[in-house]
Amino acid sequence: MAFKKFVSFLMAIMIVFASSVSAMAYENGTSSGDTPDYFIVYSPEFPDVEIEATYTAVPQPMSRSATDDEPYVLGYVDANVYCIETHEVVNGEDIIVDSKIVTKEEFDAFGTGIQPLMSSEERTASKELLTIRFTVMGYSTGNRYQLTANAEWAPPSITYPGSASSHAEVSTEDLIGITWGGEFNGSTQGGVVQYFEGQMDTPMSSLTQTPTLSSFDLNKGYVWSFYEAWLRPNNHRFEGHIMTFCEISKNVLTGGGNETQFGMQYTHTYGTITGSLSASISLSGPSLGFSLSNCDKQWSVAVTSVNGYPY
């Protein structure tokens, strides 16, 4: 029952993905005004690209009962990741041979739909839009948080020849993860992937899958893997919309007044996978996140809180 409530809540978040209240805009972790930074949003593979992001602070109720056990939203960050990919048809299958994150200006200037590349008649390029949201929620009892990480791909600007077989994967697996510091203990976790043909708000049809828990450390984070899209007979392409969550808590705060960070990471793969994907969670470096092995081509977008949370 609890899991169903979480799934319903996550689905509601996806429906209002584009909504915004009391919004403040940030690019690459830089405030657009005099207010302090709340999150850093960046790609380690494309550090010079400013990623369009917006932080939304949610006004808190004046008072809450100590027995009120429902989580309340502290804030969330939305980011638009603009991507241009190069495709090549090999043995009747569409293969992505290059993928890069670009600025919105480059994305808009690229044009609409499929673009032939001058270097080869066998290659085409398309532009893709990935939208992600990271939400931090708290409980009135304190020392306890619920973190959610959601992502969705817009319908593509390219037709994939692909395979006509039922449930044929048309992409390698992507990964999404939630990480935290402060040695909070992870407890409940889960997720769902909905695949929509056409726009999410007016889909022609849909499928539902459960993402695979690829890696976890109960004191650091969870990482899930899933296929970003499915191709069904007659080239019906279903775009993936993934929703994940976890709860973390501590019985007693041990940080002595210090603060820690929460974060999420989305990793897009488009190369050859050798064996199975292997994700390693790390709390070092400029962000909380994970690294991925066994895949020769990939890029990531990380969202990390700047203003920390007591631990």
Side-chain angles (χ1 to χ4, degrees):
M1 181 64 69
F3 178 76
K4 290 182 178 179
K5 291 177 63 178
F6 279 126
V7 170
S8 299
F9 178 75
L10 291 171
M11 304 238 343
I13 288 180
M14 289 299 296
I15 293 173
V16 298
F17 221 134
S19 66
S20 177
V21 292
S22 304
M24 297 170 283
Y26 299 85
E27 289 188 351
N28 229 19
T30 302
S31 169
S32 61
D34 296 328
T35 53
D37 297 342
Y38 286 86
F39 288 89
I40 292 175
V41 183
Y42 82 108
S43 169
E45 291 82 10
F46 301 94
D48 296 329
V49 176
E50 291 188 344
I51 295 177
E52 184 180 75
T54 301
Y55 174 75
T56 300
V58 179
Q60 298 306 307
M62 293 299 294
S63 62
R64 291 176 60 90
S65 168
T67 60
D68 186 352
D69 199 38
E70 293 297 320
Y72 55 95
V73 177
L74 297 174
Y76 57 88
V77 60
D78 290 320
N80 293 324
V81 183
Y82 300 98
C83 172
I84 292 178
E85 298 193 318
T86 303
H87 303 254
E88 183 174 333
V89 177
V90 179
N91 296 325
E93 296 289 336
D94 182 273
I95 303 298
I96 300 174
V97 295
D98 185 57
S99 180
K100 62 181 180 179
I101 298 175
V102 298
T103 64
K104 186 177 187 302
E105 291 73 22
E106 293 174 301
F107 185 85
D108 291 340
F110 185 74
T112 303
I114 242 177
Q115 300 291 322
L117 300 185
M118 298 299 292
S119 60
S120 172
E121 295 182 356
E122 300 298 323
R123 290 189 173 189
T124 56
S126 64
K127 60 182 187 180
E128 316 289 342
L129 173 61
L130 170 67
T131 303
I132 60 177
R133 170 174 288 186
F134 180 55
T135 305
V136 178
M137 289 172 280
Y139 287 84
S140 58
T141 52
N143 305 355
R144 181 183 173 198
Y145 297 92
Q146 184 179 134
L147 311 176
T148 69
N150 303 331
E152 62 172 282
W153 286 91
S157 57
I158 186 172
T159 299
Y160 293 80
S163 168
S165 63
S166 178
H167 280 318
E169 296 91 350
V170 297
S171 67
T172 53
E173 293 175 273
D174 282 1
L175 293 96
I176 190 169
I178 300 174
T179 51
W180 60 86
E183 296 187 341
F184 279 87
N185 299 310
S187 54
T188 306
Q189 60 81 26
V192 63
V193 190
Q194 281 202 302
Y195 293 93
F196 295 94
E197 183 182 21
Q199 299 289 343
M200 185 178 69
D201 54 350
T202 56
M204 290 180 280
S205 56
S206 64
L207 304 167
T208 301
Q209 301 285 340
T210 300
T212 300
L213 185 60
S214 177
S215 179
F216 70 93
D217 184 319
L218 294 180
N219 293 125
K220 294 181 180 179
Y222 298 97
V223 180
W224 298 265
S225 63
F226 70 105
Y227 289 101
E228 71 172 77
W230 293 103
L231 186 67
R232 298 300 298 275
N234 301 319
N235 286 338
H236 286 219
R237 181 180 168 92
F238 291 72
E239 294 302 310
H241 303 256
I242 185 167
M243 301 153 279
T244 61
F245 74 91
C246 68
E247 284 202 355
I248 60 174
S249 62
K250 292 186 77 170
N251 292 330
V252 179
L253 297 183
T254 59
N258 294 315
E259 297 179 333
T260 190
Q261 296 172 301
F262 302 152
M264 72 160 285
Q265 178 178 316
Y266 188 99
T267 296
H268 176 55
T269 71
Y270 58 96
T272 302
I273 296 177
T274 304
S276 60
L277 290 174
S278 177
S280 177
I281 299 172
S282 173
L283 302 184
S284 61
S287 71
L288 311 179
F290 59 90
S291 59
L292 181 63
S293 59
N294 297 340
C295 183
D296 59 348
K297 294 180 180 179
Q298 58 178 287
W299 52 252
S300 298
V301 175
V303 180
T304 305
S305 63
V306 175
N307 285 2
Y309 299 89
Y311 68 95

